Amino acid sequence: MISPVVAALAVPLALFTVAPASMAASSNSWDGTWAGMLNNKEPVSVTISGGKVVSYAIRGGSPFGIGYSNVTVHTVSFGDHANYDVKITRTSAKTAVGVAHSQMVGDGQAPLTKQ
């Protein structure tokens, strides 16, 4: 049987072991705006908030409609199911590489930096 004193100390200690892990995860969050140059010539930006892609724009134009997004620890995938698909792969805490496929433009690649 566990004594009340040991039990009283175990709960606060358990909280300390969980907190650093959650803090480390937040420093690697995808949330924020990721920007770069698509095919080294066209500005592109992707904004992620709450684990979901909320904005995607090329050439500083109006954002594209987003039909789906899937955010994992290492990758982000999103698109509109008909006209384009994008997959971003993290290369460090603040860098990633995006690969896009569009029905109208074809394929493209962009190194991205978290702003």
Side-chain angles (χ1 to χ4, degrees):
M1 177 174 235
I2 297 175
S3 77
V5 173
V6 172
L9 290 174
V11 172
L13 289 176
L15 292 175
F16 280 115
T17 59
V18 173
S22 65
M23 288 174 14
S26 67
S27 69
N28 285 327
S29 170
W30 282 101
D31 285 5
T33 298
W34 296 75
M37 296 296 280
L38 182 64
N39 294 332
N40 295 317
K41 61 183 177 179
E42 299 177 290
V44 61
S45 68
V46 177
T47 302
I48 302 167
S49 179
K52 185 176 168 185
V53 177
V54 296
S55 178
Y56 172 55
I58 300 174
R59 297 179 207 109
S62 297
F64 289 89
I66 299 164
Y68 72 92
S69 70
N70 182 33
V71 178
T72 70
V73 173
H74 300 290
T75 63
V76 173
S77 300
F78 65 96
D80 71 353
H81 293 295
N83 300 302
Y84 77 95
D85 295 292
V86 176
K87 182 174 183 180
I88 302 171
T89 304
R90 187 185 292 276
T91 55
S92 76
K94 292 198 174 252
T95 62
V97 174
V99 177
H101 175 75
S102 165
Q103 297 293 340
M104 296 182 344
V105 181
D107 296 328
Q109 185 171 343
L112 302 169
T113 304
K114 188 174 185 181
Q115 305 299 296

